[in-house]
Amino acid sequence: MSEYIQRVERLQERLVQQRLDGCMITQNIDLYYFTGSMQTGYLFVPSEGEAVFFVRRSVVRAQDESALQVEPLGSFRTFGERLASMFAAPFGQAASRRLKLAAEFDVLPVQQLQRLQTVLPDVDWVDGSMIVRELRMIKSSSEIKLIRESARIIDLAFEQAIAALKPGMTELELISGIELFIRRHGHIGVMRMRGYNQEVITGMVGAGEAAAMPTYFDGPAGGQGLSAAVPQSVSRRPIQANEPILIDIGCCIDGYVIDQTRTAVIGTLPDDLVRAYDTSEQILRSVEAMLKPGQICERLYMHSLQLAFDAGLSDHFMGYGDDQVKFLGHGIGLEIDELPVLAKGFSYPLQPGMVIAIEPKFTFPQRGVVGIEDSYAITDSGFERLTVSREGLIVV
């Protein structure tokens, strides 16, 4: 419970630094991060004083789970009055000026913001998304422990999948075996994302040209999907011999995800695809050597671009054509698209406690995708590789 309280205290420190009077947390994942409960409601964190979790449903469960004070939300019409009454004292001179409150604009629906503006008419709302995301960017030892457990389970599932892999098996059959295994071992059944209109299932498993099919998903490999209603990841396409099989999978234990990719083949790959795969490992090893506190995230991405260029593979790096993505890796934790991002314009220095997935991949239209992805925790002296699955091109 003390960890949740410390998270709120760190949020309050940031609010004071930015001269904000408080922050309203509304998104499920952020509610869980700060309270330990994912019940529907509003967490109000004043810059000074005690935070209160106003819960609509279920109050009983929130009271059992939350590390913070829980109050029934009650009528939304009186919500603003209760806030003004409860937090007038900590705000000092608040009555003589407009309050300035932060909210997670990146995930807060406009309709919800307008409701808050209605019940709190004397408040100026500002975007607090980066405050929350930057706090979540640094993981505690207990968070990293859960990511390690996710990595252990997905490795067992991966080995079982490789043992079952055979020509004629469909992509759907392959991922179904993975999903059954990890579900039985505690996978919560979802891999959460923060990005608007972004979804991920268990990952992206695809073979041959199906893996290289572009889609809306913000990643280097989309997948054909089962239909236009699910235009990503696996299809019913049979897996053939001598084509690349991309196995980009994750697992989520107690809310925390691992993200990893391996490349397999039944038989042999053409020489140019083998070379591209070898280059992905070389990029990963080279970037690994740079993983230490103080290193700038943008530099890792720019370094990978140079290595892909030197190998003559720039056109295929992290996608192809207009569908190339402009990053090398991303933070993971409660969501699979956390900060920091290894991309141009991200000047964050690496810090102990950051957890990042690094995924150099090469896409070849009509042929497939090859690459590798490992997840890492940044430590005081460098990094800990959290991914435990064997590396190398997996030949069946």
Side-chain angles (χ1 to χ4, degrees):
M1 291 297 180
S2 63
E3 185 166 329
Y4 296 106
I5 295 172
Q6 290 169 7
R7 292 171 182 174
V8 170
E9 290 174 346
R10 288 196 296 271
L11 173 57
Q12 290 178 314
E13 290 173 2
R14 291 289 297 271
L15 295 175
V16 171
Q17 291 170 4
Q18 299 195 23
R19 299 183 179 180
L20 297 172
D21 295 302
C23 182
M24 190 74 76
I25 303 295
T26 66
Q27 189 232 26
N28 275 353
I29 309 305
D30 292 337
L31 288 172
Y32 175 73
Y33 179 78
F34 286 108
T35 72
S37 179
M38 201 181 286
Q39 300 306 302
T40 302
Y42 299 84
L43 170 63
F44 184 74
V45 181
S47 57
E48 301 176 23
E50 187 175 9
V52 178
F53 188 13
F54 295 92
V55 178
R56 184 181 68 81
R57 176 186 175 95
S58 160
V59 176
V60 172
R61 182 156 182 175
Q63 289 172 335
D64 182 58
E65 296 171 338
S66 175
L68 307 181
Q69 178 182 341
V70 173
E71 296 286 347
L73 178 64
S75 169
F76 200 80
R77 291 190 300 273
T78 63
F79 184 38
E81 296 174 5
R82 294 171 64 196
L83 285 174
S85 173
M86 294 177 66
F87 298 108
F91 290 148
Q93 302 301 315
S96 62
R97 65 177 176 83
R98 291 178 65 85
L99 298 180
K100 184 178 287 188
L101 301 183
E104 319 128 298
F105 282 9
D106 65 326
V107 290
L108 179 63
V110 173
Q111 188 178 63
Q112 285 294 95
L113 176 60
Q114 290 175 338
R115 293 188 73 196
L116 290 170
Q117 290 171 329
T118 299
V119 299
L120 294 168
D122 297 320
V123 165
D124 291 326
W125 293 91
V126 300
D127 187 5
S129 304
M130 294 306 290
I131 296 176
V132 172
R133 296 185 69 193
E134 287 174 354
L135 287 173
R136 285 181 44 193
M137 181 170 65
I138 307 301
K139 273 66 178 179
S140 67
S141 58
S142 61
E143 291 179 288
I144 294 174
K145 181 179 179 181
L146 288 171
I147 299 173
R148 285 196 198 99
E149 178 63 6
S150 295
R152 184 187 71 84
I153 291 172
I154 202 64
D155 176 53
L156 297 175
F158 172 73
E159 289 297 339
Q160 178 177 277
I162 291 299
L165 188 57
K166 59 184 179 181
M169 168 184 277
T170 66
E171 296 170 345
L172 180 59
E173 288 174 319
L174 180 58
I175 204 169
S176 294
I178 294 169
E179 289 172 336
L180 176 61
F181 184 95
I182 61 177
R183 196 75 168 109
R184 285 177 168 172
H185 286 76
H187 171 57
I188 68 171
V190 296
M191 300 276 286
R192 295 185 170 111
M193 292 192 71
R194 194 177 189 90
Y196 178 66
N197 273 349
Q198 290 293 301
E199 299 172 312
V200 67
I201 309 168
T202 309
M204 207 300 288
V205 172
E209 79 282 351
M213 183 174 291
T215 189
Y216 76 99
F217 182 72
D218 191 18
Q224 181 174 328
L226 293 174
S227 75
V230 192
Q232 62 164 295
S233 192
V234 301
S235 68
R236 292 182 174 83
R237 177 191 183 279
I239 298 170
Q240 306 297 332
N242 307 321
E243 64 180 7
I245 307 163
L246 196 74
I247 306 175
D248 183 346
I249 50 178
C251 177
C252 186
I253 300 296
D254 286 352
Y256 286 86
V257 302
I258 191 70
D259 192 10
Q260 72 172 52
T261 301
R262 294 296 183 263
T263 302
V265 61
I266 302 170
T268 59
L269 281 185
D271 290 344
D272 62 331
L273 296 188
V274 172
R275 178 175 173 273
Y277 175 80
D278 290 342
T279 301
S280 71
E281 281 204 359
Q282 292 163 10
I283 292 174
L284 189 64
R285 295 286 89 82
S286 185
V287 172
E288 273 184 2
M290 301 170 68
L291 294 181
K292 57 185 179 181
Q295 182 61 260
I296 304 302
C297 290
E298 180 182 48
R299 292 176 187 166
L300 300 174
Y301 173 61
M302 302 308 290
H303 180 65
S304 72
L305 290 180
Q306 185 62 52
L307 294 176
F309 176 81
D310 293 343
L313 290 167
S314 291
D315 289 346
H316 300 273
F317 187 53
M318 302 301 287
Y320 187 82
D322 292 339
D323 294 303
Q324 282 183 305
V325 296
K326 308 300 182 183
F327 65 86
L328 173 68
H330 52 88
I332 60 171
L334 287 167
E335 293 161 323
I336 208 164
D337 54 346
E338 297 194 359
L339 295 178
V341 183
L342 306 186
K344 187 175 182 179
F346 284 82
S347 58
Y348 292 106
L350 294 182
Q351 301 175 53
M354 287 181 173
V355 179
I356 53 177
I358 303 175
E359 51 176 323
K361 295 169 183 169
F362 294 95
T363 299
F364 297 84
Q366 305 303 315
R367 301 182 68 196
V369 183
V370 296
I372 188 170
E373 178 180 22
D374 281 347
S375 293
Y376 304 84
I378 304 302
T379 66
D380 291 334
S381 58
F383 67 88
E384 173 193 352
R385 185 184 296 111
L386 300 176
T387 307
V388 295
S389 293
R390 56 181 163 135
E391 296 186 350
L393 180 62
I394 310 297
V395 177
V396 176

